[in-house]
Amino acid sequence: MQVQTFSRLAFCVTLASWVAISCASAESDSNNDGGGGATATGSVSSTSGSSVATSSGSTSSSTSGSGVATSSSTTAAGTGGDNSGGSGGAEPTGSGGTGTGGWPEGAIPLGNAPVKSAGCGKATTLTSKEYTISSSGQNRVYYVDMPRNYDMNKPYRLFYTSHWIGSRYQDVKGQDFYFLKPQLEADGEQAIFVAPSSDGATWQEKDHALFDDIMALMNESVCYDTTRVFATGFSFGGMITYSLSTNHQAEIRAAVGIAPANYNIWLPEKTHKPIAWMHTTGMSDGTCPWVNNEGQKKGSKFIALEKAEDNGCTIPNNIPTSNGAYSCFDFQDCDPEHPTRVCTFGGGHTNIDGNPNWIPIESWKFFKQF
């Protein structure tokens, strides 16, 4: 076991868009799937126009190639190429077509060469603004934030950022996408950020199809690294991030849940395939607590244990937690491609703790290792 403890600076939370709906209760939720209340800060930005984009289906791509690669003494089949054909292998390229190449699902080594989306090398019509996409028979709104001086030949990281309950993409944009964008820029990096809006207050089953539809469109429209798609969100946004992580391991390289819960959110049949995972929980969080029900395995503690097991980590008798300065625990002996980490602190339901706010700092440190 390894514990990293950091000095906690003055706790600072500015209230904005507080919605008092507990993860432990769905009584105020018209969709009856509950959600976390929001403690967040940051100005809400206005949108600058809209346009309509459509997607042809609910899956990001179909593949026809095949390959075999070996990782951590496990042999797994990979896929490569699009419908025009292609063969994968032990490298992320295939002959013919485009696609994710031959990496087996969930076994991409750290530091791999980028794998370009189909949109690379093509001029894009996307700019930083609001868009509308048809998904599950509805017009859904999302925001795209494009890099300055976008290079159509550079495969950028792509972040899929989901808002908390009772908010919209504007709130996430107003926080610079959970304060990740300034972290990247401080390191001289840029990325593509996508922030969808829910259909109402909560994220639902159809928002899995929304993710698929948006990513299918992004794959054709912009240049990004298909092996470096990341997901994050706070509260109910953390819950849909967790939900997506349980069956989208081939599409999402790593995910960070900020104050998530594993209940009162629609969950698909879990594949239990590995995915790099980190989450944060305040030990005084009464909305999305560390433990809500030990017997039913409800609470963020059980997210950590589930991910650790899926990722081949050693399961400790007790996960070290902190009721004071934040402390991050890295599970040991995990698959080398799938680091698993949980950060706890003596605070409540928030995505802002300390000055500077350590949550985006640690999130970016986690993401940039890939």
Side-chain angles (χ1 to χ4, degrees):
M1 297 187 294
Q2 178 181 356
V3 181
Q4 298 178 3
T5 305
F6 305 80
S7 297
R8 183 186 179 203
L9 301 178
F11 180 78
C12 175
V13 178
T14 302
L15 292 178
S17 305
W18 172 262
V19 181
I21 301 179
S22 172
C23 288
S25 172
E27 61 187 5
S28 299
D29 178 12
S30 61
N31 295 310
N32 199 36
D33 51 8
T39 301
T41 189
S43 59
V44 176
S45 303
S46 60
T47 60
S48 55
S50 62
S51 60
V52 177
T54 59
S55 175
S56 60
S58 297
T59 57
S60 57
S61 64
S62 59
T63 59
S64 58
S66 62
V68 176
T70 302
S71 175
S72 301
S73 303
T74 300
T75 301
T79 59
D82 58 14
N83 286 331
S84 62
S87 60
E91 298 295 329
T93 57
S95 60
T98 59
T100 58
W103 296 121
E105 185 174 298
I108 306 170
L110 298 183
N112 68 288
V115 178
K116 294 183 177 182
S117 63
C120 291
K122 304 175 184 177
T124 185
T125 60
L126 296 186
T127 59
S128 296
K129 67 176 184 178
E130 176 185 300
Y131 292 89
T132 302
I133 188 170
S134 177
S135 181
S136 300
Q138 292 181 296
N139 285 333
R140 299 292 300 274
V141 173
Y142 65 104
Y143 188 89
V144 176
D145 187 85
M146 294 290 287
R148 295 185 308 276
N149 303 315
Y150 169 78
D151 182 347
M152 68 180 182
N153 295 307
K154 178 179 179 178
Y156 294 90
R157 294 179 179 88
L158 188 149
F159 289 86
Y160 192 84
T161 58
S162 301
H163 64 74
W164 55 94
I165 197 168
S167 62
R168 307 287 287 169
Y169 80 73
Q170 289 92 335
D171 299 286
V172 174
K173 177 178 178 288
Q175 286 192 340
D176 276 331
F177 307 96
Y178 292 111
F179 310 106
L180 282 169
K181 188 175 178 180
Q183 295 294 321
L184 273 72
E185 291 178 344
D187 278 351
E189 300 284 347
Q190 295 191 73
I192 298 168
F193 291 91
V194 177
S197 285
S198 66
D199 176 27
T202 63
W203 297 106
Q204 304 166 47
E205 178 179 356
K206 61 188 172 185
D207 295 308
H208 276 237
L210 177 65
F211 172 86
D212 294 334
D213 292 335
I214 289 176
M215 289 307 302
L217 185 142
M218 297 300 289
N219 183 62
E220 296 295 327
S221 303
V222 296
C223 187
Y224 70 92
D225 184 348
T226 62
T227 65
R228 289 177 174 88
V229 174
F230 303 122
T232 191
F234 163 59
S235 189
F236 220 86
M239 293 160 72
I240 185 62
T241 298
Y242 166 66
S243 182
L244 287 168
S245 78
T246 65
N247 73 341
H248 279 78
Q249 297 93 330
E251 294 79 19
I252 300 171
R253 177 71 173 274
V256 172
I258 306 171
N262 61 347
Y263 54 97
N264 281 350
I265 182 74
W266 181 81
L267 294 173
E269 182 178 352
K270 298 176 184 178
T271 66
H272 292 289
K273 293 177 180 178
I275 183 173
W277 177 264
M278 168 184 156
H279 76 258
T280 69
T281 296
M283 296 305 289
S284 299
D285 190 340
T287 304
C288 295
W290 179 246
V291 174
N292 174 263
N293 187 304
E294 186 80 33
Q296 296 177 10
K297 297 185 178 180
K298 291 182 177 181
S300 68
K301 167 186 173 182
F302 302 102
I303 295 177
L305 291 172
E306 176 187 301
K307 295 304 185 186
E309 183 174 355
D310 292 348
N311 293 342
C313 311
T314 297
I315 307 299
N317 291 331
N318 292 292
I319 300 174
T321 60
S322 175
N323 282 296
Y326 87 93
S327 177
C328 292
F329 173 74
D330 295 295
F331 286 87
Q332 298 299 289
D333 306 316
C334 307
D335 301 337
E337 306 90 353
H338 308 117
T340 310
R341 159 177 274 215
V342 61
C343 300
T344 57
F345 61 100
H349 190 64
T350 183
N351 67 340
I352 301 164
D353 185 64
N355 183 21
N357 182 16
W358 62 265
I359 295 175
I361 294 172
E362 291 294 337
S363 295
W364 171 232
K365 283 170 60 179
F366 186 77
F367 285 132
K368 73 179 179 181
Q369 68 186 302
F370 301 101

